[in-house]
Amino acid sequence: MEETQNKILNRREFINAFMGTSILASLGLFFSYFLRFLFPPIRHKRYRKLYVTQTKDIPSGKSLKVKDLKGQSINIVNTGKEFIALSTKCSHLGCNVIWKDREKKFFCPCHDGYFDAEGNVLSGPPPKSLSSYEVEVVNESIFIHVDEVNLGNA
Ligand code: FES
């Protein structure tokens, strides 16, 4: 009789200990997610430097269209003062913008949107500037910095 009661007590103790441990583990997991929600980890953007071309290949006032590693088109413009890299996707509905040499502007044929050489909206429906990329010129070589997230390597 006493032995049976001991077994029952042991079983109860085991179940209580198991439930206590489970509740503590659940609370610990909950608080760790809650803390992550309150203080999300800081992720620094990582860029990859891509070689584009030589400076002599883009005369002043001209543009060169290149593709990044993911196949997205980028316009490199020589404004005469600097090189600027801009996405070819219009900020309105994503049509491809075209560089107009004579006017030194980007034109979006879908809804007659215009952007200046730095990608700022001049007229039309686009709500914001063209996305830009950082450009670096080293020893006459042009490089652009592409966000690694856009390359799918993050
Ligand atoms: S998509 Fe470019 S102006 Fe509408």
Side-chain angles (χ1 to χ4, degrees):
M1 178 80 174
E2 194 174 300
E3 194 176 302
T4 315
Q5 267 188 336
N6 276 347
K7 273 187 179 175
I8 290 172
L9 271 179
N10 282 342
R11 197 178 298 156
R12 262 196 205 143
E13 284 172 5
F14 173 76
I15 290 171
N16 284 343
F18 179 75
M19 286 180 64
T21 307
S22 300
I23 289 170
L24 280 178
S26 300
L27 284 174
L29 193 64
F30 171 78
F31 278 113
S32 73
Y33 279 110
F34 186 66
L35 286 175
R36 264 196 177 182
F37 173 74
L38 289 180
F39 308 103
I42 297 169
R43 290 202 174 140
H44 298 284
K45 276 193 165 186
R46 290 175 42 197
Y47 294 93
R48 186 175 292 183
K49 189 171 158 182
L50 301 177
Y51 170 75
V52 177
T53 190
Q54 294 290 299
T55 54
K56 65 178 172 46
D57 297 333
I58 312 175
S60 181
K62 299 281 183 185
S63 158
L64 177 73
K65 198 190 299 189
V66 296
K67 290 190 183 222
D68 70 11
L69 297 176
K70 242 185 150 185
Q72 296 174 351
S73 294
I74 299 169
N75 277 314
I76 314 291
V77 181
N78 181 350
T79 65
K81 294 178 190 165
E82 61 182 334
F83 290 92
I84 295 175
L86 299 164
S87 169
T88 60
K89 277 192 177 175
C90 178
S91 59
H92 183 221
L93 294 176
C95 292
N96 283 326
V97 296
I98 300 161
W99 174 250
K100 297 218 165 197
D101 281 349
R102 283 192 195 151
E103 300 171 44
K104 304 210 179 337
K105 295 175 187 173
F106 287 102
F107 170 64
C108 180
C110 290
H111 309 101
D112 293 336
Y114 276 95
F115 301 86
D116 67 14
E118 287 155 7
N120 302 310
V121 179
L122 293 173
S123 65
K128 60 181 185 174
S129 324
L130 296 171
S131 299
S132 62
Y133 299 81
E134 188 180 328
V135 177
E136 189 179 338
V137 179
V138 180
N139 298 329
E140 307 303 317
S141 297
I142 301 171
F143 297 88
I144 55 171
H145 292 208
V146 180
D147 187 348
E148 286 207 346
V149 172
N150 290 339
L151 297 175
N153 295 331

